[in-house]
Amino acid sequence: MEFRHLGRSGLKISEITYGNWITHGGQVEADAANACVRAALDAGITTFDTADVYAGGRAEEVLGKALAGERRSGIELFSKVYWPTGPGRNDRGLSRKHVLESIDASLRRLGTDYLDLYQAHRYDYETPLEETMLAFADVVRSGKALYIGVSEWRAEEIRAGKALADELGIPLVSNQPQYSALHRVPEAEVIPVSRELGISQIVFSPVAQGVLTGKYLPGQPVPAGSRATDEKGGGANMIARWMKDDVLERVQELKPVADDLGLTMATLAVAWVLQEENVAAAIIGASRPEQVTDNVKASGVRLDDDVKKRIDEVLAPVALTDPALTNSPDPRP
């Protein structure tokens, strides 16, 4: 496992990060979740990402129990706040009330005294940014989080948030966008601004919800139990944009590329996002331990220019690149 600095901070995280958006508390049972976390730890992963909204809070609980007994200073634990966590009008967003209540609830579910990174899960257009950043500053100063991040913020929002964070003396070090060889939306604006400001990307869905693994074949039924069938957890809605024959046909053209490198298609997809220097980590999810073992092989892989060019040429006709797609309300990883 290789490690990268998170932004310009001194914090190093594993470049393969384990996330439990759909899986823990939803798609897989606790025993399987524990096995996946154990596989991640055995593979050298030290960084774990979750959120208060995943599976209605159960994902944090499952992850906390799975990590119980691990040396706390030897892992990096991330969570997020924004999406509704209850029926009340203040059980959502980035108001001071919700941020301060949510950090305590996340810590309780995770069974820890602090988070290494606490992230604004989306930008809140109903709350003044100053209020949100002051609440985050108080979270940091209270010792409940060491660093602050955001997720799926637009370039101008990242710039404004970083300016306020600097004024308040708190370390805003990361953004968590969707990023893959099929979803290249951050490249036009978010990554250049982040690079300028010393902010890293912690990217989710590097295998495009499983499409880049090649397991979905054009004109064929989707495999039973796959993410494309997960209506309850939200995976089916998110993957729908890629479940088109023209996309799936293009993805199958990458198999010879992966074979030539001795990689699976999933490993190739994760390695592709790690070629971007502004990416500190790629978040992987898993319902089986062997998926973790496979994806971790992407750590340290270097793709030469010819390989990257071939991948880009194959997927260019079907890849998403429009920066206006940043912060889309659908989905919510």
Side-chain angles (χ1 to χ4, degrees), residues 61-84:
E61 293 175 355
V62 171
L63 182 60
K65 290 176 181 177
L67 291 172
E70 293 298 316
R71 187 172 65 91
R72 180 64 184 87
S73 59
I75 61 174
E76 302 83 46
L77 194 53
F78 302 168
S79 195
K80 313 181 196 73
V81 56
Y82 170 80
W83 294 105

Side-chain angles (χ1 to χ4, degrees), residues 20-21 49-59 80 121 176 332-333:
N20 72 345
W21 164 41
D49 179 83
T50 187
D52 57 5
V53 73
Y54 296 167
R58 295 189 302 279
K80 313 181 196 73
H121 210 159
Q176 187 175 131
R332 60 173 73 178

Side-chain angles (χ1 to χ4, degrees), residues 9-256:
S9 77
L11 180 66
K12 291 183 178 180
I13 64 175
S14 53
E15 66 177 9
I16 307 295
T17 289
Y18 184 89
N20 72 345
W21 164 41
I22 287 179
T23 51
H24 292 190
Q27 194 180 58
V28 302
E29 299 300 325
D31 287 347
N34 288 338
C36 290
V37 169
R38 178 51 50 191
L41 291 165
D42 290 345
I45 291 175
T46 62
T47 311
F48 296 83
D49 179 83
T50 187
D52 57 5
V53 73
Y54 296 167
R58 295 189 302 279
E60 287 184 325
E61 293 175 355
V62 171
L63 182 60
K65 290 176 181 177
L67 291 172
E70 293 298 316
R71 187 172 65 91
R72 180 64 184 87
S73 59
I75 61 174
E76 302 83 46
L77 194 53
F78 302 168
S79 195
K80 313 181 196 73
V81 56
Y82 170 80
W83 294 105
T85 53
R89 62 180 61 88
N90 290 310
D91 292 331
R92 65 198 68 205
L94 297 177
S95 68
R96 178 177 181 82
K97 176 177 174 62
H98 188 53
V99 169
L100 297 183
E101 290 176 348
S102 292
I103 183 68
D104 288 341
S106 286
L107 294 178
R108 182 174 63 253
R109 286 189 290 263
L110 286 162
T112 186
D113 294 329
Y114 71 95
L115 296 174
D116 295 275
L117 181 72
Y118 197 39
Q119 302 159 95
H121 210 159
R122 288 295 187 273
Y123 191 91
D124 186 352
Y125 297 100
E126 296 185 351
T127 299
L129 182 59
E130 293 82 359
E131 176 181 340
T132 295
M133 296 311 296
L134 184 57
F136 276 125
D138 287 343
V139 166
V140 170
R141 289 167 186 154
S142 68
K144 295 177 181 179
L146 305 184
Y147 300 87
I148 296 300
V150 301
S151 178
E152 284 284 15
W153 282 26
R154 300 180 189 275
E156 64 271 19
E157 294 160 356
I158 292 172
R159 187 180 294 280
K162 183 64 164 63
L164 283 171
D166 288 348
E167 286 182 20
L168 293 165
I170 56 171
L172 197 164
V173 296
S174 65
N175 175 52
Q176 187 175 131
Q178 181 178 180
Y179 186 50
S180 71
L182 280 172
H183 193 279
R184 303 181 62 167
V185 170
E187 291 179 346
E189 297 177 358
V190 166
I191 287 178
V193 165
S194 298
R195 189 182 296 119
E196 172 195 341
L197 298 175
I199 290 173
S200 291
Q201 312 304 311
I202 305 167
V203 304
F204 68 84
S205 297
V207 295
Q209 298 83 56
V211 169
L212 287 169
T213 68
K215 67 182 177 183
Y216 299 108
L217 302 176
Q220 299 295 317
V222 299
S226 66
R227 183 163 294 188
T229 65
D230 179 33
E231 299 288 348
K232 180 181 177 182
N237 290 334
M238 188 173 180
I239 202 175
R241 72 186 69 179
W242 306 124
M243 299 301 291
K244 303 172 184 176
D245 281 354
D246 60 337
V247 175
L248 301 180
E249 288 166 0
R250 290 275 173 174
V251 170
Q252 289 302 312
E253 292 183 39
L254 298 181
K255 191 173 189 311

Side-chain angles (χ1 to χ4, degrees), residues 2 4 15 261 271 274-275 298-304 307:
E2 296 193 6
R4 301 187 181 191
E15 66 177 9
L261 295 170
L274 291 174
Q275 305 311 297
S299 181
V301 171
R302 299 293 177 261
L303 303 178
D304 64 36
V307 171

